[in-house]
Amino acid sequence: MLTTLRIQAEDFDLAEQYSLLRSSSPATTEIGAIVTFTGLVREFEPRSRDHNDDGGALDGMRLQHYPGMTEKLLQGIIDDAAQRWPLLAVTVIHRVGHLAPCDQIVFLGVASEHRQPAFQAAEFIMDYLKTRATFWKQITIDGQPRWVDSKDSDTTAARRWDAQCDG
Amino acid sequence: MIRLHFFGRLSDLATQVPSRCAGETPHAIRQWLAEDFPELAVQLNEPQVLVSVNHCIVDWQTPLTDGDEVAFLPPVTGG
């Protein structure tokens, strides 16, 4: 399986990443399905449960990560997915640094022979990325920076995979 | 010496913390930090905060050796 893993400040081009995923796998002719996911910076952030604010329109966002550990954790998540489903290629690109509303944050592409493993592996990788990979978001609203709270719904989403032995 | 890293909201509270220290376990370092950085220590004692040694999540009582890299990790919020 071909894995591409990048953590970068620069933006990425969806068409280019799709094209690379489609053509660069050694098993190109076996690919029957490609699922892609793109995460974006929302303009409005809801009220925080841990902060005394009403949420509001974002001025911007800063993404911090733990160099070295992030790559290791993401590779582990991709390896876990490849154990569960027959995958041909996976690309993960996660941006760090300063981002503006509507900017792209994360790209995931999963190539497989059939759509079902591609869909399921894509959900699995995103659920684990959100709950395990060492990234932290700091948003600024009305000039006030604050760290984003982790979401219980993300933890619940990741846990559903724990109960399944083989996808 | 042990190298220390703080992330997320912990990094804002740890700007004055030395980047290296001595300590036999992550728990011992956390107790040592409480003396000079009580606000940080409160956050470090939150059950959701994890600790890693050399990029592996470990128990707070894991023995440390010279040159280890210890990081304090609040709940992650990527993606």
Side-chain angles (χ1 to χ4, degrees), chain A residues 56-115:
Chain A
L58 240 64
D59 303 329
M61 174 185 284
R62 183 168 72 96
L63 258 152
Q64 186 189 56
H65 85 115
Y66 184 4
M69 186 158 183
T70 313
E71 292 85 345
K72 184 183 160 180
L73 288 167
L74 288 174
Q75 187 62 57
I77 293 166
I78 293 168
D79 291 345
D80 282 355
Q83 293 279 320
R84 288 172 178 243
W85 295 280
L87 307 179
L88 296 170
V90 174
T91 299
V92 175
I93 301 174
H94 203 299
R95 295 179 68 194
V96 291
H98 289 277
L99 299 176
C102 307
D103 274 357
Q104 303 184 119
I105 304 176
V106 61
F107 171 82
L108 168 67
V110 178
S112 186
E113 207 172 334
H114 299 284
R115 77 179 186 283

Side-chain angles (χ1 to χ4, degrees), chain B residues 2-69:
Chain B
I2 310 297
R3 286 168 292 156
L4 300 180
H5 293 287
F6 300 87
F7 292 97
R9 65 192 65 198
L10 302 176
S11 59
D12 289 345
L13 300 168
T15 52
Q16 304 300 316
V17 175
S19 61
R20 283 157 200 272
C21 74
E24 290 182 355
T25 63
H27 176 70
I29 292 173
R30 183 170 57 177
Q31 284 188 312
W32 168 72
L33 288 166
E35 293 172 21
D36 289 325
F37 307 97
E39 208 182 335
L40 173 64
V42 168
Q43 294 277 332
L44 290 176
N45 279 306
E46 290 286 324
Q48 315 93 296
V49 171
L50 302 178
V51 66
S52 70
V53 175
N54 304 330
H55 300 158
C56 292
I57 305 284
V58 297
D59 187 87
W60 287 88
Q61 299 293 351
T62 302
L64 298 173
T65 53
D66 191 40
D68 278 349
E69 180 173 313

Side-chain angles (χ1 to χ4, degrees), chain A residues 90-166:
Chain A
V90 174
T91 299
V92 175
I93 301 174
H94 203 299
R95 295 179 68 194
V96 291
H98 289 277
L99 299 176
C102 307
D103 274 357
Q104 303 184 119
I105 304 176
V106 61
F107 171 82
L108 168 67
V110 178
S112 186
E113 207 172 334
H114 299 284
R115 77 179 186 283
Q116 208 168 18
F119 273 126
Q120 290 186 351
E123 278 209 271
F124 173 91
I125 291 168
M126 280 313 301
D127 285 347
Y128 274 78
L129 183 154
K130 288 195 84 84
T131 51
R132 300 200 177 170
T134 42
F135 294 99
W136 295 273
K137 286 182 185 136
Q138 186 186 50
I139 54 173
T140 302
I141 296 173
D142 292 334
Q144 297 296 315
R146 71 159 158 92
W147 294 96
V148 172
D149 304 319
S150 60
K151 290 194 183 77
D152 293 341
S153 58
D154 288 336
T155 309
T156 307
R159 280 213 187 112
R160 71 194 155 127
W161 301 105
D162 295 342
Q164 298 177 20
C165 293
D166 53 7

